[in-house]
Every structure is written in structure tokens, then in C-alpha cells.
Amino acid sequence: MLEVPVLLFQLEEIAQLVDFVSVGSNDLTQYLLAVDRNNPQVSGLFEIFHPGILRAMHRARVDCDKYGLDVSVCGELAGEPIVALLLVAMGYDRLSMNQGSLAMINYLLRRVSCEELQNLLQQVLSQTGGQDVREVVRAFLVSLGLGNLVNH
């Protein structure tokens, strides 16, 4: 389980010991942001659309490919429609999510091309804040006539 940020910098060594990596998005996000998502005093700072989180997820995917590791994502990121689109754009093809998210994400993925997702990913990774990421993805979905499917 890749859940602590230091493992992002040790994938080469880890690849000598394991055959696959599962990115634990809840804990990885919490530790990267240094925000306890269960603490009501700071949980509002827990931002799943933070560009740094998305860049870390992208780096994990690229490095797993580089070192020949199969990789999947589990946790809330995989079940969030906007982020699921971005994860697929990054090359993740195994997303673990709750059953309630499957239909929406399947519907969205069947209506976008890989080329469109790659262009979207490049735009998103250059943003500076979570709200900026949301706006870029929302505009993308609106351009496809899918804006009403995402409530964020």
C-alpha cells in the first residue's frame, strides 16, 4: 500500500520486493496535505482536488510504469467522478470504489476519449489550486454536454 509520501521516493527499491502497488488515496492525501480528515477543526483543508495531490498520483503512476509495477487506486479518490476521469487519464486502469459510484463513473468514461482526457490532464496538472482544478474539469464536462452530472 502506497499511503505515506516517502514511498513515492522509494518505488525503485520497493519494485525489487513487490509485484504491485495499491495507492491508498485517503491516507496519502491526508499525509501529503498534513491535514487530519477526521478532525473537524482542520478537515475543511482536506482538498482532494489539490494539484499537489494530483501530481503525486501522476508521479506514482509514471514511476510504477518505469519500475514494472502493476498499480491500482483505492480510497475515496477513485470513487469521485471528476478525479476518476483524471486517474484514468494518468493511466490507472484499476480503481477500487464503492458500488454507488460505479454507474456514474462508467457513464462518464464511456463518453470521453483518451485524447480528450490527456488534454484535460495536462490542463489540470498546471493549475495552482483545487478550485481551479474543479473549474477546468467542469468546463470540460460542460463542453461535452455532461456538466449536469457532477455536483462539485
Side-chain angles (χ1 to χ4, degrees):
M1 258 329 232
L2 194 161
E3 294 180 313
V4 293
V6 73
L7 293 179
L8 289 168
F9 303 99
Q10 293 183 297
L11 284 172
E12 184 174 11
E13 294 88 354
I14 291 168
Q16 306 303 312
L17 305 170
V18 301
D19 296 323
F20 67 94
V21 170
S22 182
V23 179
S25 65
N26 295 345
D27 287 339
L28 184 60
T29 299
Q30 177 172 305
Y31 299 138
L32 282 168
L33 295 176
V35 172
D36 181 355
R37 67 185 182 268
N38 296 316
N39 181 336
Q41 294 179 326
V42 294
S43 62
L45 300 173
F46 189 82
E47 172 62 77
I48 65 171
F49 298 103
H50 191 289
I53 302 303
L54 299 173
R55 291 176 194 145
M57 297 296 293
H58 187 249
R59 178 182 174 147
R61 178 64 193 158
V62 168
D63 286 355
C64 283
D65 280 350
K66 179 178 176 181
Y67 301 120
L69 292 169
D70 287 332
V71 63
S72 62
V73 177
C74 66
E76 293 176 28
L77 285 184
E80 168 57 48
I82 288 175
V83 181
L85 288 175
L86 298 173
L87 292 172
V88 169
M90 292 175 196
Y92 288 98
D93 57 7
R94 291 184 208 118
L95 306 176
S96 175
M97 66 191 72
N98 68 49
Q99 186 176 359
S101 300
L102 288 172
M104 171 66 77
I105 291 171
N106 186 34
Y107 183 84
L108 284 172
L109 289 173
R110 290 180 180 274
R111 282 152 181 80
V112 296
S113 71
C114 290
E115 182 179 342
E116 290 170 324
L117 287 179
Q118 286 299 306
N119 292 335
L120 175 64
L121 179 63
Q122 294 312 309
Q123 290 177 43
V124 163
L125 293 178
S126 69
Q127 299 306 307
T128 59
Q131 187 58 38
D132 300 327
V133 169
R134 281 187 192 90
E135 289 174 17
V136 166
V137 177
R138 186 172 317 171
F140 168 76
L141 293 172
V142 166
S143 75
L144 297 175
L146 300 170
N148 62 333
L149 298 178
V150 184
N151 297 329
H152 291 40

